[in-house]
Amino acid sequence: MARLWFDPQQGGETPDYRFSLANERTFLAWIRTGLALVAGGLAVAQFLPPMPVPHLREGFAIALLLLGGAVAVRALDHWARSERAMRLKRDLPLSRFPAVLAIGLGIGSLGLVVVVLTQAFRD
Amino acid sequence: MTDPAADPSAAAERTRLSWRRTVLSGAAVALLAARFCVELLDRDAAVVGGLLAGIALLGWVVFAAVAGRRMRALAGGRATVDPALTGGGATSDPVALVACAAGAVGAALFGAGLVLAAVA
């Protein structure tokens, strides 16, 4: 099984090329999501004014950067597992990750709004 | 079997465009990282800042080259009439995908390094 993950294209039957390419497009969409998070982290680090709590800005930036990297790794894992499932004619792997990510980003954005507003009213 | 050369779903073209969008996202990340390098290390350490910025941009150039190779495989090589054959870019190239993910992770770690250097 591990060998199949590292090279999902060994074993099983070659799927319809349209499904393979759809899997590849999904992977790239996830990579772009990860890159957007990395860009967000870099933007927070450069353009956000320093916050009252020391190093809060840097913490936010690092959190976004690491989250972006994690999304990229997960994208590759999901692609490999989907490719393997298609070749072995199994169901595609289910995942809660998109929902978890969406909820996490929503909470994080809300927190950032609160921080920015409290800082604005303090000045 | 469907003839991929006359594919109304345009799967190969859509995949190629998807790669192009990803390269553009990478360009935005590289520019932000380069700007951060230059901003962090000005005055005395300007040379180091410039070098780091150059590394960020070079990383993007390498990624664009890998993506370009994959895009050419998708555009030029039509999948053969029998999709079971793997020629012509019909199946994904795992090396390109691993390089793509590694590039994104590398960018994330590069950025984290810069932020930590800024704090120190």
Side-chain angles (χ1 to χ4, degrees):
Chain A
M1 262 315 160
R3 233 194 67 238
L4 201 54
W5 190 94
F6 281 114
D7 191 0
Q9 294 176 334
Q10 294 295 332
E13 246 176 70
T14 304
D16 185 331
Y17 77 101
R18 287 169 297 181
F19 299 154
S20 289
L21 292 185
N23 194 15
E24 184 170 342
R25 286 196 300 279
T26 304
F27 165 83
L28 291 174
W30 275 111
I31 290 288
R32 285 197 299 278
T33 306
L35 286 176
L37 288 168
V38 170
L42 288 170
V44 162
Q46 296 175 64
F47 302 126
L48 215 58
M51 312 234 192
V53 176
H55 301 317
L56 183 63
R57 175 182 64 172
E58 281 75 24
F60 233 125
I62 297 217
L64 285 172
L65 288 165
L66 294 183
L67 187 59
V71 165
V73 171
R74 188 257 169 197
L76 192 61
D77 174 69
H78 188 75
W79 173 84
R81 288 190 296 139
S82 298
E83 176 83 9
R84 187 180 71 203
M86 287 192 294
R87 286 181 165 263
L88 301 180
K89 302 239 188 293
R90 301 212 186 113
D91 289 340
L92 291 178
L94 296 173
S95 176
R96 282 189 304 263
F97 185 80
V100 169
L101 182 67
I103 291 173
L105 288 178
I107 293 175
S109 306
L110 222 58
L112 192 54
V113 166
V114 166
V115 168
V116 169
L117 285 177
T118 49
Q119 194 177 1
F121 281 119
R122 199 169 304 202
D123 299 338
Chain B
M1 284 276 172
T2 48
D3 174 13
D7 178 17
S9 78
E13 180 176 352
R14 285 191 291 151
T15 310
R16 197 159 31 92
L17 291 173
S18 193
W19 274 103
R20 196 164 292 291
R21 286 201 296 277
T22 311
V23 169
L24 285 176
S25 298
V29 168
L31 287 173
L32 276 174
R35 187 197 172 282
F36 198 28
C37 293
V38 169
E39 179 193 55
L40 269 187
L41 300 160
D42 55 357
R43 287 184 297 269
D44 308 322
V47 175
V48 179
L51 272 172
L52 286 175
I55 289 176
L57 295 173
L58 191 65
W60 177 81
V61 168
V62 168
F63 171 61
V66 170
R69 216 173 126 252
R70 177 68 188 140
M71 283 191 275
R72 269 189 300 278
L74 283 163
R78 299 286 189 200
T80 58
V81 174
D82 179 4
L85 295 178
T86 58
T91 53
S92 308
D93 174 17
V95 172
L97 301 183
V98 169
C100 190
V105 171
L109 293 175
F110 186 79
L114 289 177
V115 172
L116 289 174
V119 170

